[in-house]
Amino acid sequence: MMLPRFPARAEDIVRNRINRAPSPVLALGIPWASIILASMATFSPVIASAPLLPPFSYMMLLAWRMLRPGMLPVWVGLPLGAIDDLFSGQPFGSAIILWSLTMLAMEVIDERFLWRGFLQDWLAGSALLAGYLFLAASFAGFAAGYPLPLSIGPQLLLSVFLFPVVTRFVALLDRVRLLPLRRI
């Protein structure tokens, strides 16, 4: 097996990037596809008596919205929430409502805090995750006939601690999304 040959000079690397642009399919499709694929994480073979798996699709939505505020439109909560409702088993419409409210809340947060750092993003994400999990469990409790919000403690803790990891993964996907692959 032959290893790839690296250029001898740094100028050759730069020269290969001239007349290149990101692929429009990747640039527009990776955020949507990553959120949709994260919605399918509920198909994992993990069996638990209480909710334990974090809402990865919602966490991906938050991470994309925090990393690239203008990329996802405000109305994205409707189609992506509907897809998440189909895969998650929640009552249909709960993710549509909660994701749409989240996008509106993120607009308010962006207007209020023009510059945010890691701590502010983590706190905002944690607060939105806690509200989402509590309201989603309430919607599921109304449909099932008994209260479920009492059992979301481990899921909430795992979600809050995994949120920076998901945000880092989204940052990696963003770098892949913007690779200069297409020749101009």
Side-chain angles (χ1 to χ4, degrees):
M1 182 166 131
M2 190 149 186
L3 294 174
R5 195 169 152 245
F6 290 107
R9 299 180 316 217
E11 296 85 24
D12 294 336
I13 296 172
V14 174
R15 200 173 296 136
N16 289 338
R17 292 185 182 184
I18 295 177
N19 293 336
R20 301 274 183 185
S23 168
V25 174
L26 288 179
L28 296 174
I30 283 183
W32 290 74
S34 65
I35 295 170
I36 291 171
L37 288 175
S39 290
M40 295 179 190
T42 58
F43 287 147
S44 68
V46 175
I47 299 171
S49 60
L52 183 65
L53 198 63
F56 287 117
S57 55
Y58 184 74
M59 292 166 68
M60 294 283 278
L61 175 79
L62 282 177
W64 276 111
R65 181 63 178 80
M66 288 180 179
L67 182 68
R68 297 286 183 184
M71 189 174 56
L72 292 174
V74 176
W75 52 264
V76 80
L78 182 96
L80 291 177
I83 291 170
D84 188 63
D85 277 338
L86 291 175
F87 287 113
S88 70
Q90 285 284 98
F92 192 76
S94 64
I96 294 171
I97 293 169
L98 295 175
W99 286 31
S100 298
L101 290 175
T102 297
M103 294 302 286
L104 292 173
M106 287 303 299
E107 285 292 320
V108 170
I109 290 171
D110 283 344
E111 286 180 15
R112 180 75 177 124
F113 303 105
L114 297 177
W115 295 280
R116 293 188 318 259
F118 171 75
L119 186 61
Q120 289 90 359
D121 281 346
W122 196 7
L123 289 174
S126 298
L128 289 169
L129 272 166
Y132 173 76
L133 286 174
F134 180 75
L135 291 172
S138 298
F139 286 152
F142 291 142
Y146 56 90
L148 290 176
L150 302 175
S151 64
I152 63 167
Q155 185 182 23
L156 178 61
L157 286 175
L158 192 60
S159 300
V160 167
F161 287 123
L162 282 180
F163 186 66
V165 176
V166 171
T167 305
R168 195 73 175 147
F169 179 69
V170 166
L172 177 73
L173 286 177
D174 189 49
R175 290 187 62 160
V176 170
R177 180 183 77 87
L178 296 175
L179 282 176
L181 299 175
R182 188 176 58 105
R183 186 173 273 233
I184 299 177

